[in-house]
Amino acid sequence: MGEIDFENMNDDVKEYALKETERTEKYLKSDYDKILNILKPYVHQKKVKLVKVTKNIECFVTIEDGMNKVIVNNYLIYSTTGIIVWVKPEKNGNRIALFETNGSDYGILKIFKGKEIIYTEKDVINDILFTQNGFYIIKEKRDELVNEDMHSGNAVYLNGNYVFGNEIKSGEGIEGEIYGDKVILVSGDNISSSIYTGLADNPSSWKLYRKFECQVKILGYRHGTLYTLLYKGFGIISDGKNEFSMEDPVEDATIVKEGFLVIHMRDAKAIPVIYDFDGRKIKEFDLGEPYGLISMDSDGEKATVIMGSFGVPYAIFSYSNMELKLLEQNIVSKPKISEEYVENSFGRVHYFFLEPDKKTQNTIVYGYGGFNISIVPAYYNLFAYLLNNGVNVVICNLPGGGEYGEEWHRLGMKENKKNVYSAFQSIIKKLSAQGKNIICYGVSNGGLLAAYTMDKIPEYLAGAIIGNPVIDLMRFHRLLAGQYWVSEYGNPDNQEDVKFLRNYSAYEQLKPGKYPPSLIYSRMNDDRVHPAHALKFYKKLRDFGNESYILIGTGGHLGSGIEDMLSETAYIASFINTVFKEST
């Protein structure tokens, strides 16, 4: 086989991916079967991953018995082995939409009335807007090239016909809500947003209302006032005339009877707080242990909040009349949790150190650091298994995330991406000085982090796990959904951006040399992060004579069926077990 064009995903690429995956599976097989059986209970734990609430509907998406389930007012209306990405009930009716995939971004929209499916459509569908007699669909058509003057792949459709989107630039998403006869749409990327408003039944009336140099979430339209959450500073709640700045970073917010239920973060831990409509703090709730927000929603009066923690797949809270009550939770384990910090030139970096009952030096260090995504306490199948089988787990809150507000996010963007790498390396070096035996781990944008870390400080690592990674920053914008990340990383077609992009592109930075063992995984149907990133990096490592392994599964960026994910996780755990056995 000659030079392989991984970006085309032709038969040669698929043959190469299959052959190399079989090599990995053979290498890890001795531990795999045993680990698979031990791992099953962790993967099959009941999880609640989403809640949506209206005046007459409370809708949960759960994962139980290997199935994604939609439960409405305590009744199961739908169950699937696929992945339910989002649900949206009609505000003043009984229709419910869901979007289901096999793990890719392409999937099927299903609209229910009761338990009956009344409409389906296949595409990349990001939102639905219910009208009194019909609905608009927000779909995504991905363009290959990045061009500031071209229209976005995102647009609004009615009965299959394009009705809105000409003003939306490439690389910007759209979502929205309808309140009575008024439509409110938000378009934007990771650093800027625009709100459009108009009459719900007349798309030609939808006009720009206001632009923002930050991300924006619609909180609600109430008594003629539009309330929004601006991800600026630590977070700002706006009513269009007044802006109420928050004193702690905001993860999310929703409208309740008294004003706003806001989920703050203090060192990434969730702190629910009630504010009145004038932005005055009324009450703060002490959760008693480190939780992270999974999902929340309200009907404008009362709210349902889903939290999680490292040993807790879900905890359901209800809010009403100034009380937050725990209704139900699933406790799998109670790991010892400590909080540590490292100092960097730009400030202090926080991380969670999770310990099993038995002391060990073997340690997984996990990081992400990008896209304003906060890494909060949450249940990870793999980490729960590792903690109960003698491995420390470190969860890092790096620049680029949203844990400390928008400034923290921008501290890890574009030319500042070096701060993410510096923070992650500082944590690893501190742990190494304590005698820890370290495997670094990251997924997606975190895969870039793990790959670059292996490039730069191989001597501190026993191994690296690089999942569904963005790695080639000279080409990312040409592949699949890459155009949506230009605002975060920079534009490789801009020579000024190339100066810093080349310096933190893990693919460009990989040079001939000795690197620790690595496991790289991706999925053949990933239509968000192209598998070429993983395959190119893997082949380059192998060409340099390094011990590297690759797994190419069948799902997409979001995963695949429960059994496929169980198998993938078992191979990852087998790699961890093998590396730690061989390095101690």
Side-chain angles (χ1 to χ4, degrees):
M1 186 180 294
E3 191 67 25
I4 305 173
D5 183 0
F6 289 112
E7 294 181 10
N8 282 334
M9 293 303 289
N10 56 23
D11 288 343
D12 286 347
V13 175
K14 293 175 182 177
E15 180 184 343
Y16 177 84
L18 177 62
K19 178 183 175 183
E20 296 303 305
T21 294
E22 288 175 347
R23 169 182 167 268
T24 298
E25 291 174 348
K26 183 178 180 180
Y27 170 67
L28 297 174
K29 191 65 176 175
S30 60
D31 282 339
Y32 171 81
D33 291 330
K34 178 179 71 175
I35 288 175
L36 185 73
N37 288 325
I38 299 171
L39 190 61
K40 279 182 182 179
Y42 298 96
V43 174
H44 283 274
Q45 288 295 323
K46 179 182 176 182
K47 304 172 181 75
V48 180
K49 67 180 200 176
L50 188 60
V51 64
K52 288 292 180 181
V53 179
T54 70
K55 290 292 185 184
N56 57 355
I57 289 175
E58 185 177 52
C59 177
F60 292 98
V61 177
T62 69
I63 304 175
E64 301 177 72
D65 308 318
M67 307 290 283
N68 271 229
K69 299 181 179 182
V70 180
I71 299 168
V72 177
N73 296 342
N74 295 318
Y75 291 97
L76 177 68
I77 70 162
Y78 186 66
S79 183
T80 176
T81 56
I83 296 172
I84 297 173
V85 181
W86 56 261
V87 296
K88 191 169 186 178
E90 184 179 8
K91 286 189 182 302
N92 297 302
N94 59 359
R95 290 175 294 176
I96 295 173
L98 67 83
F99 186 63
E100 176 186 350
T101 81
N102 65 356
S104 66
D105 289 346
Y106 180 88
I108 182 167
L109 171 73
K110 297 181 179 181
I111 300 177
F112 290 76
K113 194 169 185 179
K115 291 187 177 182
E116 179 187 359
I117 298 175
I118 60 172
Y119 182 85
T120 63
E121 181 172 342
K122 294 182 178 179
D123 215 320
V124 179
I125 298 176
N126 294 331
D127 202 358
I128 186 171
L129 309 175
F130 284 111
T131 62
Q132 185 172 354
N133 299 311
F135 48 85
Y136 297 99
I137 294 175
I138 298 177
K139 296 194 290 188
E140 183 179 333
K141 305 293 185 183
R142 287 177 176 160
D143 308 308
E144 180 181 345
L145 300 178
V146 176
N147 184 322
E148 289 297 323
D149 298 323
M150 73 191 303
H151 300 315
S152 174
N154 278 275
V156 183
Y157 295 80
L158 177 65
N159 299 325
N161 298 313
Y162 175 99
V163 296
F164 179 80
N166 280 335
E167 298 182 54
I168 312 302
K169 290 184 179 180
S170 181
E172 293 186 353
I174 309 174
E175 58 184 17
E177 299 285 352
I178 287 179
Y179 300 93
D181 64 353
K182 192 178 188 69
V183 67
I184 299 169
L185 299 172
V186 177
S187 71
D189 53 28
N190 293 309
I191 58 173
S192 63
S193 304
S194 299
I195 292 181
Y196 296 84
T197 63
L199 297 174
D201 62 356
N202 181 13
S204 65
S205 72
W206 301 357
K207 304 297 181 185
L208 179 65
Y209 165 69
R210 189 178 170 188
K211 286 181 173 287
F212 301 86
E213 293 304 314
C214 63
Q215 291 179 285
V216 174
K217 178 186 176 180
I218 300 168
L219 296 183
Y221 187 75
R222 183 177 177 127
H223 306 310
T225 298
L226 173 63
Y227 293 98
T228 54
L229 172 60
L230 313 182
Y231 287 94
K232 185 177 181 181
F234 283 163
I236 295 171
I237 292 178
S238 172
D239 63 7
K241 296 179 181 178
N242 304 296
E243 294 187 345
F244 312 119
S245 297
M246 302 286 103
E247 295 181 359
D248 287 303
V250 174
E251 173 83 348
D252 204 354
T254 191
I255 292 177
V256 291
K257 182 175 68 175
E258 296 80 7
F260 310 100
L261 172 58
V262 177
I263 307 298
H264 286 293
M265 290 174 289
R266 292 184 191 150
D267 285 338
K269 302 179 293 294
I271 309 293
V273 177
I274 298 294
Y275 294 85
D276 67 18
F277 283 105
D278 293 321
R280 290 185 292 265
K281 185 175 180 178
I282 302 174
K283 187 174 182 179
E284 178 177 314
F285 299 96
D286 182 5
L287 297 178
E289 61 179 282
Y291 279 108
L293 179 67
I294 297 173
S295 177
M296 76 171 179
D297 200 16
S298 77
D299 62 4
E301 300 286 326
K302 57 187 184 300
T304 303
V305 184
I306 313 299
M307 299 279 192
S309 192
F310 300 114
V312 181
Y314 74 90
I316 303 175
F317 295 84
S318 68
Y319 170 80
S320 181
N321 296 319
M322 300 296 293
E323 290 193 20
L324 188 68
K325 295 181 179 179
L326 176 62
L327 301 182
E328 176 187 336
Q329 66 178 331
N330 179 15
I331 300 175
V332 174
S333 62
K334 295 184 177 182
K336 181 182 177 182
I337 304 170
S338 58
E339 298 181 61
E340 307 287 342
Y341 304 88
V342 293
E343 293 291 339
N344 269 258
S345 59
F346 52 82
R348 192 172 70 164
V349 180
H350 172 270
Y351 61 93
F352 295 98
F353 190 93
L354 314 179
E355 294 181 79
D357 290 336
K358 185 179 179 181
K359 289 283 186 181
T360 179
Q361 298 287 53
N362 293 335
T363 304
I364 297 290
V365 183
Y366 177 83
Y368 186 80
F371 293 91
N372 201 29
I373 293 173
S374 300
I375 305 302
V376 300
Y379 179 85
Y380 301 81
N381 297 322
L382 174 64
F383 296 162
Y385 160 81
L386 292 174
L387 286 165
N388 278 356
N389 287 273
V391 177
N392 303 314
V393 176
V394 175
I395 309 292
C396 305
N397 298 123
L398 305 173
E403 295 94 336
Y404 299 97
E406 181 58 20
E407 183 179 342
W408 190 248
H409 170 214
R410 298 193 185 222
L411 198 61
M413 286 173 48
K414 294 188 174 180
E415 66 274 12
N416 292 325
K417 192 74 174 176
K418 61 184 183 294
N419 294 326
V420 184
Y421 297 143
S422 171
F424 196 55
Q425 290 175 29
S426 294
I427 293 169
I428 288 170
K429 289 176 180 179
K430 176 183 174 181
L431 294 168
S432 178
Q434 297 170 354
K436 300 296 186 291
N437 192 29
I438 296 167
I439 296 175
C440 72
Y441 185 17
V443 179
S444 192
N445 170 72
L448 169 64
L449 172 66
Y452 183 92
T453 302
M454 187 183 72
D455 286 355
K456 294 301 179 183
I457 57 166
E459 67 273 21
Y460 288 91
L461 301 173
I465 304 171
I466 301 165
N468 303 319
V470 183
I471 286 185
D472 184 355
L473 293 186
M474 297 294 100
R475 293 285 301 158
F476 77 90
H477 66 317
R478 305 284 182 179
L479 303 172
L480 301 175
Q483 60 169 313
Y484 294 97
W485 316 329
V486 168
S487 62
E488 183 79 14
Y489 292 136
N491 189 344
D493 291 335
N494 180 320
Q495 289 307 305
E496 289 302 309
D497 289 4
V498 166
K499 293 176 183 177
F500 58 78
L501 277 167
R502 195 178 298 280
N503 285 332
Y504 71 70
S505 172
Y507 186 72
E508 296 289 330
Q509 291 297 312
L510 186 66
K511 309 298 182 188
K514 178 66 175 175
Y515 297 96
S518 58
L519 175 67
I520 303 166
Y521 64 90
S522 182
R523 304 183 187 113
M524 194 66 73
N525 296 315
D526 191 334
D527 52 1
R528 185 179 304 181
V529 178
H530 202 295
H533 288 280
L535 287 161
K536 287 164 63 176
F537 192 71
Y538 167 76
K539 188 172 188 303
K540 198 172 184 180
L541 275 167
R542 295 282 292 156
D543 288 347
F544 290 157
N546 283 280
E547 184 184 355
S548 187
Y549 303 92
I550 195 162
L551 285 170
I552 304 294
T554 58
H557 198 70
L558 298 174
S560 56
I562 295 295
E563 296 309 310
D564 287 341
M565 294 305 297
L566 171 60
S567 177
E568 180 183 272
T569 306
Y571 277 119
I572 296 169
S574 300
F575 174 78
I576 293 168
N577 190 47
T578 300
V579 168
F580 283 146
K581 278 194 300 187
E582 294 179 353
S583 62
T584 54

Tab-separated table of all heavy atoms in Angstrom, residues 6 12 15 27 32 36 71 73 80 137 201 208 213 225 262 301 311 322 335 373 441 449 483 537 544 548 557 565 581:
chain	number	residue	atom	x	y	z
A	6	PHE	N	-5.756	9.811	3.902
A	6	PHE	CA	-6.706	9.495	4.974
A	6	PHE	C	-7.958	10.362	4.931
A	6	PHE	O	-9.010	9.962	5.424
A	6	PHE	CB	-6.016	9.637	6.336
A	6	PHE	CG	-5.002	8.571	6.619
A	6	PHE	CD1	-3.657	8.877	6.690
A	6	PHE	CD2	-5.392	7.258	6.808
A	6	PHE	CE1	-2.716	7.885	6.956
A	6	PHE	CE2	-4.463	6.262	7.072
A	6	PHE	CZ	-3.119	6.573	7.141
A	12	ASP	N	-8.932	1.980	0.682
A	12	ASP	CA	-7.576	1.788	1.208
A	12	ASP	C	-7.474	2.251	2.660
A	12	ASP	O	-6.820	1.599	3.489
A	12	ASP	CB	-6.560	2.562	0.357
A	12	ASP	CG	-6.295	1.903	-0.984
A	12	ASP	OD1	-6.688	0.733	-1.161
A	12	ASP	OD2	-5.696	2.560	-1.867
A	15	GLU	N	-9.369	-0.229	4.866
A	15	GLU	CA	-8.595	-1.462	5.009
A	15	GLU	C	-7.457	-1.263	6.002
A	15	GLU	O	-7.206	-2.122	6.862
A	15	GLU	CB	-8.043	-1.878	3.646
A	15	GLU	CG	-7.217	-3.157	3.682
A	15	GLU	CD	-6.612	-3.487	2.328
A	15	GLU	OE1	-7.080	-2.932	1.307
A	15	GLU	OE2	-5.650	-4.291	2.298
A	27	TYR	N	-3.297	-7.273	20.588
A	27	TYR	CA	-2.325	-6.908	21.614
A	27	TYR	C	-2.975	-6.815	22.998
A	27	TYR	O	-2.386	-7.221	24.007
A	27	TYR	CB	-1.681	-5.575	21.246
A	27	TYR	CG	-0.821	-4.962	22.324
A	27	TYR	CD1	0.376	-5.547	22.727
A	27	TYR	CD2	-1.209	-3.771	22.940
A	27	TYR	CE1	1.159	-4.982	23.720
A	27	TYR	CE2	-0.424	-3.192	23.931
A	27	TYR	CZ	0.759	-3.801	24.319
A	27	TYR	OH	1.529	-3.238	25.297
A	32	TYR	N	-8.567	-7.964	28.020
A	32	TYR	CA	-9.858	-7.419	27.569
A	32	TYR	C	-11.063	-8.180	28.113
A	32	TYR	O	-11.987	-7.572	28.664
A	32	TYR	CB	-9.888	-7.403	26.040
A	32	TYR	CG	-11.227	-7.059	25.451
A	32	TYR	CD1	-11.653	-5.737	25.339
A	32	TYR	CD2	-12.077	-8.066	24.995
A	32	TYR	CE1	-12.889	-5.422	24.788
A	32	TYR	CE2	-13.310	-7.763	24.447
A	32	TYR	CZ	-13.709	-6.448	24.348
A	32	TYR	OH	-14.935	-6.149	23.818
A	36	LEU	N	-13.777	-6.553	30.528
A	36	LEU	CA	-15.112	-6.322	29.967
A	36	LEU	C	-16.193	-6.706	30.973
A	36	LEU	O	-17.161	-5.956	31.187
A	36	LEU	CB	-15.275	-7.125	28.679
A	36	LEU	CG	-16.582	-6.898	27.906
A	36	LEU	CD1	-16.568	-5.533	27.230
A	36	LEU	CD2	-16.781	-7.989	26.852
A	71	ILE	N	-38.834	9.659	28.793
A	71	ILE	CA	-39.901	9.471	29.777
A	71	ILE	C	-40.624	10.794	29.960
A	71	ILE	O	-40.009	11.808	30.332
A	71	ILE	CB	-39.330	8.974	31.113
A	71	ILE	CG1	-38.629	7.615	30.896
A	71	ILE	CG2	-40.412	8.860	32.172
A	71	ILE	CD1	-37.787	7.163	32.044
A	73	ASN	N	-43.773	12.716	31.801
A	73	ASN	CA	-44.754	12.648	32.889
A	73	ASN	C	-44.851	11.238	33.465
A	73	ASN	O	-45.935	10.692	33.673
A	73	ASN	CB	-46.123	13.141	32.417
A	73	ASN	CG	-46.099	14.609	32.025
A	73	ASN	OD1	-45.189	15.349	32.401
A	73	ASN	ND2	-47.079	15.037	31.253
A	80	THR	N	-34.600	3.361	22.575
A	80	THR	CA	-33.778	3.055	21.417
A	80	THR	C	-32.372	2.643	21.853
A	80	THR	O	-31.892	3.074	22.906
A	80	THR	CB	-33.671	4.274	20.471
A	80	THR	OG1	-32.778	3.971	19.392
A	80	THR	CG2	-33.151	5.508	21.199
A	137	ILE	N	-37.675	23.830	11.219
A	137	ILE	CA	-36.549	22.968	11.532
A	137	ILE	C	-35.254	23.718	11.243
A	137	ILE	O	-35.113	24.331	10.177
A	137	ILE	CB	-36.600	21.660	10.716
A	137	ILE	CG1	-37.817	20.824	11.130
A	137	ILE	CG2	-35.324	20.848	10.916
A	137	ILE	CD1	-38.014	19.583	10.292
A	201	ASP	N	-44.923	33.690	12.373
A	201	ASP	CA	-45.507	33.162	11.141
A	201	ASP	C	-45.027	33.893	9.882
A	201	ASP	O	-45.555	33.668	8.797
A	201	ASP	CB	-47.031	33.209	11.215
A	201	ASP	CG	-47.580	34.631	11.357
A	201	ASP	OD1	-46.757	35.574	11.481
A	201	ASP	OD2	-48.811	34.792	11.362
A	208	LEU	N	-32.309	41.478	12.569
A	208	LEU	CA	-31.315	41.580	13.627
A	208	LEU	C	-31.808	42.516	14.727
A	208	LEU	O	-32.224	43.641	14.467
A	208	LEU	CB	-29.991	42.117	13.059
A	208	LEU	CG	-28.856	42.308	14.062
A	208	LEU	CD1	-28.407	40.972	14.635
A	208	LEU	CD2	-27.684	43.035	13.402
A	213	GLU	N	-20.573	40.551	21.743
A	213	GLU	CA	-19.221	40.004	21.644
A	213	GLU	C	-19.032	38.922	22.709
A	213	GLU	O	-18.066	38.936	23.478
A	213	GLU	CB	-18.186	41.117	21.785
A	213	GLU	CG	-18.188	42.094	20.631
A	213	GLU	CD	-17.992	41.392	19.278
A	213	GLU	OE1	-17.094	40.536	19.185
A	213	GLU	OE2	-18.769	41.693	18.340
A	225	THR	N	-40.681	41.252	28.052
A	225	THR	CA	-39.246	41.436	28.300
A	225	THR	C	-38.489	40.169	27.923
A	225	THR	O	-38.870	39.065	28.314
A	225	THR	CB	-38.981	41.760	29.785
A	225	THR	OG1	-39.639	42.983	30.125
A	225	THR	CG2	-37.489	41.914	30.043
A	262	VAL	N	-29.774	30.306	39.235
A	262	VAL	CA	-28.465	30.346	38.578
A	262	VAL	C	-27.581	29.261	39.182
A	262	VAL	O	-27.510	29.116	40.408
A	262	VAL	CB	-27.801	31.731	38.760
A	262	VAL	CG1	-26.405	31.746	38.152
A	262	VAL	CG2	-28.665	32.822	38.127
A	301	GLU	N	-41.837	28.861	36.500
A	301	GLU	CA	-42.222	28.940	37.912
A	301	GLU	C	-41.339	28.025	38.762
A	301	GLU	O	-40.676	28.446	39.693
A	301	GLU	CB	-43.699	28.549	38.081
A	301	GLU	CG	-44.668	29.433	37.310
A	301	GLU	CD	-44.826	30.796	37.946
A	301	GLU	OE1	-44.763	30.875	39.194
A	301	GLU	OE2	-45.023	31.776	37.201
A	311	GLY	N	-18.833	9.786	41.686
A	311	GLY	CA	-19.389	8.475	41.981
A	311	GLY	C	-20.902	8.436	41.865
A	311	GLY	O	-21.534	7.455	42.245
A	322	MET	N	-38.673	28.552	46.759
A	322	MET	CA	-37.447	28.801	47.526
A	322	MET	C	-36.866	27.553	48.176
A	322	MET	O	-36.032	27.643	49.069
A	322	MET	CB	-37.687	29.877	48.604
A	322	MET	CG	-38.129	31.226	48.050
A	322	MET	SD	-36.868	31.992	47.019
A	322	MET	CE	-35.605	32.320	48.245
A	335	PRO	N	-15.583	7.933	45.990
A	335	PRO	CA	-14.130	8.074	45.972
A	335	PRO	C	-13.674	9.195	46.898
A	335	PRO	O	-14.426	10.137	47.170
A	335	PRO	CB	-13.837	8.421	44.505
A	335	PRO	CG	-15.088	9.059	44.009
A	335	PRO	CD	-16.206	8.354	44.724
A	373	ILE	N	-16.093	25.102	27.578
A	373	ILE	CA	-16.707	23.915	28.187
A	373	ILE	C	-16.098	23.700	29.567
A	373	ILE	O	-14.873	23.581	29.702
A	373	ILE	CB	-16.518	22.680	27.300
A	373	ILE	CG1	-17.320	22.853	26.005
A	373	ILE	CG2	-16.938	21.406	28.027
A	373	ILE	CD1	-17.086	21.767	24.985
A	441	TYR	N	-4.576	11.843	29.284
A	441	TYR	CA	-5.783	11.416	28.564
A	441	TYR	C	-6.590	12.647	28.171
A	441	TYR	O	-6.788	13.552	28.978
A	441	TYR	CB	-6.615	10.495	29.470
A	441	TYR	CG	-7.845	9.859	28.851
A	441	TYR	CD1	-8.034	9.784	27.485
A	441	TYR	CD2	-8.824	9.303	29.668
A	441	TYR	CE1	-9.156	9.179	26.940
A	441	TYR	CE2	-9.962	8.684	29.143
A	441	TYR	CZ	-10.116	8.632	27.773
A	441	TYR	OH	-11.225	8.033	27.228
A	449	LEU	N	-4.827	18.155	23.128
A	449	LEU	CA	-4.033	18.419	24.331
A	449	LEU	C	-3.154	17.222	24.690
A	449	LEU	O	-1.950	17.374	24.964
A	449	LEU	CB	-4.978	18.751	25.491
A	449	LEU	CG	-4.368	18.884	26.884
A	449	LEU	CD1	-3.446	20.082	26.954
A	449	LEU	CD2	-5.487	18.986	27.934
A	483	GLN	N	-14.985	24.081	10.236
A	483	GLN	CA	-15.187	25.527	10.069
A	483	GLN	C	-15.758	26.179	11.328
A	483	GLN	O	-15.542	27.375	11.558
A	483	GLN	CB	-16.139	25.784	8.903
A	483	GLN	CG	-17.515	25.150	9.088
A	483	GLN	CD	-18.515	25.632	8.053
A	483	GLN	OE1	-18.613	26.828	7.805
A	483	GLN	NE2	-19.250	24.709	7.456
A	537	PHE	N	-1.875	10.866	12.630
A	537	PHE	CA	-0.982	10.974	13.773
A	537	PHE	C	-0.427	9.597	14.140
A	537	PHE	O	0.766	9.436	14.426
A	537	PHE	CB	-1.723	11.601	14.949
A	537	PHE	CG	-0.839	12.025	16.091
A	537	PHE	CD1	0.004	13.120	15.959
A	537	PHE	CD2	-0.855	11.346	17.297
A	537	PHE	CE1	0.821	13.525	17.015
A	537	PHE	CE2	-0.049	11.742	18.357
A	537	PHE	CZ	0.792	12.837	18.209
A	544	PHE	N	7.900	6.670	12.811
A	544	PHE	CA	9.058	7.060	13.618
A	544	PHE	C	9.521	5.920	14.543
A	544	PHE	O	10.429	6.097	15.354
A	544	PHE	CB	8.737	8.291	14.471
A	544	PHE	CG	8.576	9.570	13.679
A	544	PHE	CD1	7.841	10.626	14.197
A	544	PHE	CD2	9.161	9.714	12.425
A	544	PHE	CE1	7.693	11.808	13.485
A	544	PHE	CE2	9.012	10.894	11.702
A	544	PHE	CZ	8.284	11.945	12.226
A	548	SER	N	2.659	2.461	19.254
A	548	SER	CA	1.363	3.138	19.249
A	548	SER	C	0.306	2.161	18.756
A	548	SER	O	0.601	1.261	17.963
A	548	SER	CB	1.403	4.376	18.352
A	548	SER	OG	0.201	5.115	18.466
A	557	HIS	N	-18.872	10.814	16.680
A	557	HIS	CA	-18.176	11.587	17.701
A	557	HIS	C	-18.863	11.491	19.061
A	557	HIS	O	-18.212	11.545	20.103
A	557	HIS	CB	-18.089	13.057	17.270
A	557	HIS	CG	-17.056	13.833	18.023
A	557	HIS	ND1	-15.708	13.630	17.849
A	557	HIS	CD2	-17.166	14.807	18.960
A	557	HIS	CE1	-15.028	14.451	18.648
A	557	HIS	NE2	-15.889	15.160	19.326
A	565	MET	N	-19.805	0.914	23.072
A	565	MET	CA	-19.066	1.785	23.986
A	565	MET	C	-18.437	0.975	25.120
A	565	MET	O	-17.340	1.283	25.584
A	565	MET	CB	-19.982	2.871	24.546
A	565	MET	CG	-20.478	3.863	23.495
A	565	MET	SD	-19.149	4.652	22.569
A	565	MET	CE	-18.319	5.536	23.879
A	581	LYS	N	1.354	-2.021	34.122
A	581	LYS	CA	2.081	-3.250	34.452
A	581	LYS	C	3.503	-3.198	33.909
A	581	LYS	O	4.454	-3.636	34.571
A	581	LYS	CB	1.348	-4.471	33.871
A	581	LYS	CG	0.191	-4.963	34.724
A	581	LYS	CD	-0.282	-6.337	34.292
A	581	LYS	CE	-0.766	-6.390	32.870
A	581	LYS	NZ	-1.375	-7.704	32.520
